Amino acid sequence: MGLKNAMIRDILANDTICAIATPVGIGGIGIVRISGKDAVNIAEKIFRPASASFPLESHRLYYGWIYDPETGSPVDEVLLSVMKAPKSYTREDVVEINCHSGYAVLEEILRIILAQGARLADPGEFTYRAFLHGRIDLSRAEAVQEIVYSRSQASLELARRQLQGATYSAVMDWIDTITDILAHIEAHLDFSDDVEDEEESSNLESFSAFLKKRIEDELIEPIKRAIKTFDSVQLLREGVSLALVGKPNVGKSSLLNALLEKDRAIVTEYAGTTRDVIEDTFTLDGVLVRIMDTAGIREKADYIESLGIERTLRAIRSAHIILWLLDVSEPLTPEDDYIFGLIRDSRYVVLINKADLAHRWDVSTVRNRYGTEAPVITMSVKRREDIEALKNLIRQHFLKQALDDATENFAINKRHREHLIRALENLDKAASLLEFHTDIFTLPYELIAYELESARKELNAIVGKEVSLDDVLDRVFSQFCIGK
């Protein structure tokens, strides 16, 4: 896909692609997709409708059989749909064959289509063609991929809003604002020679302040807000990771099972049962939560257990939130002190577990000993209401802000963030030039216009407009699955 866009469009005009659009595996239905100028012609060569006649009409679903033209042998009973350009996903002629999902039959149908002159699609090429033909912008193309890979309701909602054009609309508003500011600058340049009296000169001199305010209020501030919400959006998009940390036998595996509502980890009264990091997932308020049950940290560990402790330390470094479990039925020890030293710079919650047993100390002991202001819950993993209280704490302290940010703003991804940061640098430079050159006759218009044009170029790259896109397109579509 590293070709110039005009050349690519010429190639597409005489190119037909095909691919299996459903994942490999046993299921009821498999789909083979064809797109391009010969899509309908190929379909009519290999398909025999049960009651309809050729030519096949657009946006109709036909029942019949796929045959191998070389042997005349039937391959599979199918439903075939035809969507003629431009009213299709790619804005080309598209044919989709709904067949049985067995690997052998899908491969056989694909082989027959390839024999008729189509070629195998590259990853993401159907969506790539939709972009090149102007049906979707680049941000919407990325949203398609995010929908495919969504693993939670929160990530799906973010992708859905992007597919509906939230990102595109915001970015296009900023592009229009820059275009309008550049037009104002051009107009004042054209008429600056007509300024004669002091009053008109004063009005022109205030023009730089007017431009600076527009750049700051309509561009810099909203772009800063968008960049600021990136971490929250990524948290919802990729999920939250929790690490259960503590000494052996403080209830980590029991808590894992309680949060998952299933017996995922072995629980015994013996210390050191968990020798490795056990991972699983659940959802909380539509957000994917990846939970890691780690090996208990203690000084006298055997060789295998020490390997598990090393992985525990890696989990601590990678987790968004650490749930630090303490056993209230036993005295605090130097091992607890050591664990606190490992997590003190992380986001963590103190869980004073085994509250159903006799207490050896209380919350004030933890506060005084460790000087921590982290949230603290006294609980028993055996009590359902305590598990719900823990979930509510995670919800309020760690998810609420991310959910609010995602609700109030459009969602940007890593690529968008890079372009927005560079655009913001250009806009800051333009605003600085306006601040230090307030005289209309000495304003470095060429430099200001250059910074604004550079910012507009970065914004255009987000939606895929008016910019050389070879590297950008390769980066976006290389992550797609084949068939989409």
Side-chain angles (χ1 to χ4, degrees):
M1 294 181 182
L3 298 172
K4 296 298 182 183
N5 297 336
M7 186 184 302
I8 292 173
R9 292 189 182 94
D10 290 340
I11 293 173
L12 296 187
N14 296 293
D15 198 24
T16 300
I17 58 172
C18 63
I20 298 170
T22 45
V24 176
I26 298 174
I29 300 295
I31 297 175
V32 180
R33 176 181 284 177
I34 316 170
S35 181
K37 73 179 188 67
D38 292 328
V40 176
N41 183 46
I42 290 173
E44 292 182 351
K45 289 180 180 178
I46 67 174
F47 176 65
R48 297 184 189 178
S51 57
S53 58
F54 297 124
L56 300 176
E57 297 180 22
S58 183
H59 292 79
R60 292 283 301 274
L61 189 64
Y62 295 94
Y63 163 72
W65 281 78
I66 296 294
Y67 279 78
D68 185 341
E70 294 183 4
T71 65
S73 301
V75 177
D76 194 21
E77 185 181 27
V78 304
L79 289 174
L80 183 143
S81 58
V82 174
M83 290 155 281
K84 294 185 179 179
K87 296 182 179 180
S88 71
Y89 182 71
T90 61
R91 281 193 173 168
E92 302 173 328
D93 286 349
V94 172
V95 172
E96 290 188 354
I97 301 169
N98 291 255
C99 60
H100 295 96
S101 68
Y103 177 78
V105 69
L106 284 165
E107 284 292 316
E108 182 67 8
I109 292 175
L110 187 64
R111 182 193 65 79
I112 292 170
I113 295 170
L114 292 170
Q116 304 308 308
R119 68 166 174 83
L120 191 63
D122 291 328
E125 189 168 359
F126 291 94
T127 304
Y128 184 52
R129 289 176 175 227
F131 163 72
L132 286 177
H133 288 131
R135 198 186 74 81
I136 56 176
D137 70 279
L138 197 54
S139 67
R140 286 188 178 99
E142 290 170 306
V144 170
Q145 178 74 342
E146 290 185 16
I147 286 176
V148 171
Y149 284 100
S150 291
R151 297 183 60 196
S152 68
Q153 188 62 39
S155 60
L156 177 60
E157 180 58 29
L158 290 174
R160 184 185 296 127
R161 292 216 310 271
Q162 186 170 325
L163 185 62
Q164 290 173 334
T167 302
Y168 177 83
S169 295
V171 172
M172 288 306 298
D173 284 345
W174 295 334
I175 291 172
D176 289 343
T177 298
I178 291 176
T179 302
D180 189 53
I181 291 173
L182 285 168
H184 274 76
I185 290 175
E186 185 66 28
H188 278 73
L189 276 175
D190 290 343
F191 295 104
S192 61
D193 291 340
D194 298 332
V195 177
E196 296 178 356
D197 59 53
E198 185 176 340
E199 181 179 355
E200 287 178 334
S201 177
S202 175
N203 289 336
L204 285 174
E205 288 170 6
S206 68
F207 180 60
S208 61
F210 165 73
L211 289 183
K212 181 174 179 291
K213 182 173 176 54
R214 284 202 68 186
I215 291 172
E216 290 176 340
D217 293 351
E218 299 177 40
L219 294 168
I220 290 176
E221 289 307 315
I223 289 176
K224 280 183 177 178
R225 288 196 297 272
I227 294 172
K228 186 178 179 181
T229 63
F230 172 76
D231 289 339
S232 295
V233 167
Q234 284 299 97
L235 200 69
L236 301 184
R237 182 179 281 126
E238 299 177 356
V240 179
S241 58
L242 299 178
L244 309 184
V245 176
K247 294 184 302 188
N249 212 30
V250 292
K252 298 186 297 298
S253 296
S254 296
L255 179 57
L256 174 77
N257 292 340
L259 289 170
L260 296 175
E261 299 183 8
K262 65 181 180 180
D263 290 333
R264 176 66 175 83
I266 297 174
V267 177
T268 75
E269 69 274 21
Y270 301 107
T273 302
T274 301
R275 301 296 188 96
D276 201 349
V277 175
I278 299 174
E279 296 187 21
D280 212 324
T281 60
F282 67 97
T283 58
L284 183 61
D285 289 357
V287 179
L288 182 72
V289 179
R290 180 168 61 92
I291 185 168
M292 298 176 283
D293 177 20
T294 66
I297 298 176
R298 59 177 174 177
E299 292 180 345
K300 296 180 180 180
D302 60 35
Y303 174 70
I304 296 177
E305 193 176 350
S306 66
L307 294 178
I309 292 173
E310 289 181 11
R311 297 189 180 188
T312 295
L313 299 179
R314 289 200 293 269
I316 289 173
R317 290 191 290 269
S318 67
H320 292 114
I321 308 166
I322 293 168
L323 303 183
W324 178 28
L325 280 79
L326 299 170
D327 183 351
V328 76
S329 70
E330 297 289 340
L332 294 173
T333 69
E335 289 172 336
D336 295 307
D337 302 341
Y338 173 68
I339 294 170
F340 175 70
L342 295 174
I343 69 170
R344 66 188 307 165
D345 295 326
S346 305
R347 301 174 73 186
Y348 66 93
V349 177
V350 183
L351 304 183
I352 301 176
N353 191 31
K354 302 189 180 182
D356 52 320
L357 304 178
H359 294 203
R360 303 289 293 271
W361 43 271
D362 58 19
V363 174
S364 63
T365 306
V366 174
R367 297 290 192 199
N368 293 333
R369 182 164 179 147
Y370 300 114
T372 178
E373 297 182 358
V376 178
I377 292 183
T378 300
M379 63 177 297
S380 169
V381 297
K382 296 179 180 179
R383 296 196 293 242
R384 189 70 245 169
E385 61 270 23
D386 290 352
I387 299 299
E388 291 304 317
L390 172 59
K391 288 183 177 180
N392 190 56
L393 184 145
I394 295 171
R395 183 182 290 117
Q396 293 299 319
H397 280 260
F398 302 107
L399 297 186
K400 186 178 184 301
Q401 187 61 53
L403 289 167
D404 289 346
D405 286 346
T407 301
E408 296 174 3
N409 299 277
F410 66 92
I412 64 172
N413 61 30
K414 292 178 182 178
R415 187 184 70 85
H416 302 161
R417 180 173 178 266
E418 291 173 6
H419 289 298
L420 289 178
I421 288 174
R422 289 196 288 268
L424 188 61
E425 291 172 353
N426 295 127
L427 293 169
D428 282 333
K429 290 177 183 177
S432 296
L433 288 168
L434 287 163
E435 180 178 0
F436 292 110
H437 297 81
T438 56
D439 187 332
I440 192 69
F441 300 107
T442 62
L443 275 175
Y445 281 113
E446 291 80 3
L447 292 177
I448 296 169
Y450 171 79
E451 297 297 346
L452 291 174
E453 286 286 6
S454 297
R456 184 165 63 176
K457 180 179 179 181
E458 295 294 341
L459 296 175
N460 274 325
I462 293 176
V463 295
K465 291 181 177 292
E466 301 176 19
V467 67
S468 178
L469 290 170
D470 295 346
D471 292 338
V472 175
L473 295 180
D474 285 344
R475 180 175 170 186
V476 170
F477 289 100
S478 64
Q479 304 301 315
F480 273 63
C481 55
I482 292 177
K484 193 62 182 176

